[in-house]
């Protein structure tokens, strides 16, 4: 009995392959792409990575993806994986057609899962809210419909067998396709009701004039850590891809007293399956409704620019307007050397719309919240007036505050001290006078 339990609880040994086509995903390093694929595999507790490799391909084989020589080479690696115990699952970091999947499974004698399938498995494991579960199920159905594997026979038990028995001459594929289509219709109806509830909540919030600030970014960029640091919430924040899926919203009071709604959203990733983008559109509508977007970047990652490009593409596909104010939050500066960190902070001070921070240590968060306040004031068209101020040379604190707010139009030094021309709101003026 004990041995049976241990066998059942043992994780599945997986072998990760990143197909390097040379002309695809050219922005990414193959080695870093493989590293991300391995991290995706580790995101599932049921998987143990037994080996990984980059497989160079001149041209994908239509029926087998890999050439005969490469298949034989990988087959040997699969047998040798996990100290000779062999791999039971192959994770291919890219798209695999149903034909390729069936042929490779037959040749290697293992289960094949492509990048989309793996991400769907992770989402299914992490979704907790009713909406999240429905969205993942809908995305999985859209993905599986083209594959029509035998696993869909369990749907018959869920529906008690009604409507799944085909008439004379009906093939199993036709019955499976009809089963999936009926499931899709049912899920969409459920999801529509959930979306209507979310819309009611959104309308209720609209009656309370709190601006919405949405956190977006590549998965594992530190959005949830930043969210927790700013709001005091306890959202799960791990050094793991897709540690959180379900959106979370909390009220945040900025230093100037303005109250906002801060929204933490699902992390993005390169080649995010279009099924998931479509299914999670309802959740990501919070981004579309945002008054300000915080694009959180892991500035310590070697491909931070490429990750930022992936996030930008997904925001464009969602229909986020270009005129929505956006602040780039360069996170994880604590992982950089002191010299690079200081250089980034200086760049941050010179570059509009950029804030360098560490959500983990809290460094730079005061400047970030001040920038959020200033950008919202600008975006919401609060009345502003120009004022000339005179500060003593030693009054560096209030002078620094004015610059942090981004409201200084000009500055000069004379015998009297520092002369500044500022353009500020009544609220900023009151904050300045309280310093």
């Amino acid at each position: 009995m004990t041995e049976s339990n241990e066998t059942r609880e043992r994780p599945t040994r997986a072998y990760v392959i990143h197909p390097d086509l040379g002309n695809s995903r050219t922005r990414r390093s193959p080695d870093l792409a493989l590293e991300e694929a391995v991290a995706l595999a580790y995101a599932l507790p049921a998987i143990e990575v037994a080996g990984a490799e980059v497989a160079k391909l001149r041209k994908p084989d239509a029926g087998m993806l890999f050439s005969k020589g490469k298949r034989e080479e990988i087959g040997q690696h699969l047998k040798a994986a996990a100290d000779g115990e062999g791999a039971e699952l192959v994770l291919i970091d890219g798209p695999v057609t149903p034909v390729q999947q069936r042929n490779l499974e037959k040749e290697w004698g293992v289960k094949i899962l492509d990048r989309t399938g793996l991400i769907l498995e992770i989402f299914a494991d992490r979704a907790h809210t009713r909406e999240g579960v429905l969205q993942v199920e809908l995305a999985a159905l859209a993905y599986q419909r083209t594959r029509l594997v035998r696993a869909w026979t369990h749907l018959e038990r869920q529906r008690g067998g009604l409507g799944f028995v085909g008439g004379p001459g009906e093939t199993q594929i036709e019955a499976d396709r009809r089963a999936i289509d009926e499931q899709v219709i049912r899920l969409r109806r459920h999801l529509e009701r959930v979306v209507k509830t979310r819309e009611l909540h959104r309308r209720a919030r609209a009656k309370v004039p709190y601006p919405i600030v949405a956190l977006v970014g590549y998965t594992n960029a530190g959005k949830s850590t930043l969210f927790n640091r700013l709001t005091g919430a306890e959202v799960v924040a791990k050094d793991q891809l897709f540690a959180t899926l379900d959106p979370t919203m909390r009220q945040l009071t900025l230093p100037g007293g303005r109250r906002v709604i801060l929204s933490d959203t699902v992390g993005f990733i390169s080649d995010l399956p279009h099924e998931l983008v479509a299914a999670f559109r309802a959740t990501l509508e919070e981004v579309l409704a945002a008054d300000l977007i915080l694009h959180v970047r892991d500035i310590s990652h070697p491909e931070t620019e490429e990750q930022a490009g992936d996030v930008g593409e997904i925001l464009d596909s969602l229909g986020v307007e270009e005129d929505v104010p956006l602040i780039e939050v360069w996170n994880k500066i604590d992982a950089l050397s002191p010299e690079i960190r200081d250089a980034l902070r200086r760049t941050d001070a010179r570059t509009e719309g950029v804030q360098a921070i560490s959500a983990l240590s809290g460094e730079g968060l005061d400047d970030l919240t001040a920038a959020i306040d200033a950008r919202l004031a600008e975006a919401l068209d609060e009345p502003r007036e120009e004022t000339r101020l005179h500060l003593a040379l030693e009054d560096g604190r209030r002078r620094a505050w004015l610059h942090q707010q981004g409201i200084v139009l000009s500055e000069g030094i004379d015998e009297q001290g520092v002369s500044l021309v500022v353009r500020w709101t009544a609220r900023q003026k009151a904050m300045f006078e309280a310093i």
Side-chain angles (χ1 to χ4, degrees):
M1 185 71 177
T2 303
E3 184 178 345
S4 176
N5 287 338
E6 289 177 353
T7 302
R8 187 163 52 247
E9 294 173 1
R10 179 180 57 79
T12 301
R13 296 186 299 272
Y15 194 82
V16 183
I17 302 173
H18 171 71
D20 180 16
L21 300 176
N23 61 346
S24 67
R25 298 176 67 186
T26 52
R27 294 182 305 180
R28 317 303 294 270
S29 157
D31 291 335
L32 289 176
L34 178 64
E35 183 180 313
E36 180 179 276
V38 170
L40 279 172
Y42 275 123
L44 274 180
I47 287 181
E48 174 186 278
V49 177
E53 69 172 279
V54 173
K56 293 187 178 298
L57 296 179
R58 292 182 180 178
K59 182 180 179 181
D61 184 279
M64 303 291 283
L65 183 60
F66 303 101
S67 65
K68 182 179 179 180
K70 178 57 69 174
R71 294 198 306 272
E72 292 175 351
E73 179 185 331
I74 293 174
Q76 293 300 316
H77 294 169
L78 296 181
K79 293 178 182 178
D83 297 325
E85 292 186 18
E88 306 160 287
L89 170 69
V90 172
L91 302 174
I92 299 179
D93 185 36
V96 178
T97 68
V99 172
Q100 291 169 344
Q101 178 180 343
R102 287 195 296 270
N103 291 339
L104 289 175
E105 286 179 345
K106 184 177 180 180
E107 177 161 334
W108 289 336
V110 297
K111 175 67 179 174
I112 302 291
L113 202 60
D114 67 1
R115 182 180 177 87
T116 297
L118 175 59
I119 294 176
L120 284 169
E121 290 285 348
I122 296 170
F123 274 46
D125 182 66
R126 300 286 167 75
H128 298 297
T129 66
R130 181 59 178 158
E131 180 179 3
V133 171
L134 288 171
Q135 288 168 331
V136 171
E137 289 184 12
L138 190 60
L141 285 168
Y143 170 71
Q144 291 286 3
R145 192 181 188 279
T146 60
R147 296 174 186 262
L148 298 174
V149 294
R150 290 177 179 270
W152 288 111
T153 55
H154 74 278
L155 296 177
E156 186 170 348
R157 293 195 297 274
Q158 291 181 358
R159 286 284 302 267
L162 298 177
F164 286 87
V165 179
E170 184 178 38
T171 67
Q172 184 62 47
I173 288 180
E174 290 169 341
D176 285 348
R177 181 177 290 115
R178 185 156 53 85
I180 292 175
D181 289 343
E182 290 183 7
Q183 282 283 75
V184 167
I185 292 172
R186 181 181 64 83
L187 287 174
R188 282 178 176 165
R189 286 173 180 168
H190 282 306
L191 192 55
E192 283 174 3
R193 287 196 288 269
V194 174
V195 170
K196 286 180 180 178
T197 301
R198 179 181 287 278
E199 181 62 29
L200 290 175
H201 291 166
R202 187 179 290 121
R203 290 176 183 174
R205 288 197 305 270
K207 294 179 180 178
V208 180
Y210 291 171
I212 295 177
V213 178
L215 295 173
V216 303
Y218 207 81
T219 183
N220 210 32
K223 297 190 313 309
S224 295
T225 302
L226 177 60
F227 184 86
N228 290 343
R229 173 72 72 162
L230 291 176
T231 66
E234 297 181 354
V235 174
V236 176
K238 298 180 180 178
D239 185 17
Q240 185 183 63
L241 300 186
F242 298 120
T244 53
L245 288 183
D246 298 312
T248 308
M249 306 188 80
R250 292 287 189 277
Q251 181 176 301
L252 170 66
T253 302
L254 297 174
R258 184 198 301 276
R259 294 181 179 180
V260 301
I261 300 294
L262 192 64
S263 174
D264 186 18
T265 60
V266 62
F268 299 157
I269 196 169
S270 65
D271 299 331
L272 186 67
H274 70 274
E275 294 92 349
L276 282 174
V277 174
F280 275 77
R281 185 173 293 275
T283 300
L284 294 170
E285 281 177 358
E286 297 296 348
V287 179
L288 297 176
D291 298 287
L292 176 65
I293 294 175
L294 301 185
H295 176 188
V296 183
R297 293 175 52 180
D298 177 359
I299 204 65
S300 68
H301 195 281
E303 291 191 334
T304 182
E305 292 295 336
E306 289 80 4
Q307 291 181 350
D310 290 326
V311 172
E313 289 177 5
I314 295 175
L315 289 177
D316 289 341
S317 71
L318 289 171
V320 175
E321 299 293 337
E322 292 184 0
D323 58 353
V324 176
L326 184 145
I327 295 176
E328 277 202 6
V329 182
W330 293 356
N331 190 27
K332 301 191 181 182
I333 60 173
D334 55 288
L336 302 172
S337 67
E339 295 78 16
I340 296 178
R341 186 164 62 246
D342 291 343
L344 279 180
R345 293 304 301 272
R346 289 194 295 271
T347 301
D348 153 22
R350 294 193 301 266
T351 307
E352 184 180 358
V354 171
Q355 294 291 322
I357 69 157
S358 167
L360 191 62
S361 69
E363 182 180 356
L365 292 191
D366 289 343
D367 291 347
L368 173 60
T369 52
I372 292 173
D373 212 0
R375 291 299 296 274
L376 284 174
E378 179 181 340
L380 299 175
D381 291 329
E382 289 188 29
R384 292 170 175 265
E385 64 175 356
E386 287 189 16
T387 305
R388 180 174 293 277
L389 300 174
H390 291 278
L391 301 177
L393 289 173
E394 61 271 18
D395 195 356
R397 182 184 175 192
R398 294 203 296 173
R399 180 183 175 190
W401 183 89
L402 292 171
H403 282 283
Q404 287 174 359
Q405 293 289 311
I407 57 179
V408 177
L409 299 180
S410 64
E411 181 182 63
I413 298 178
D414 53 29
E415 298 82 2
Q416 309 297 324
V418 181
S419 176
L420 306 99
V421 176
V422 300
R423 188 168 182 269
W424 56 11
T425 65
R427 182 175 49 82
Q428 288 172 323
K429 180 179 179 181
M431 290 169 58
F432 174 77
E433 291 173 348
I435 296 176

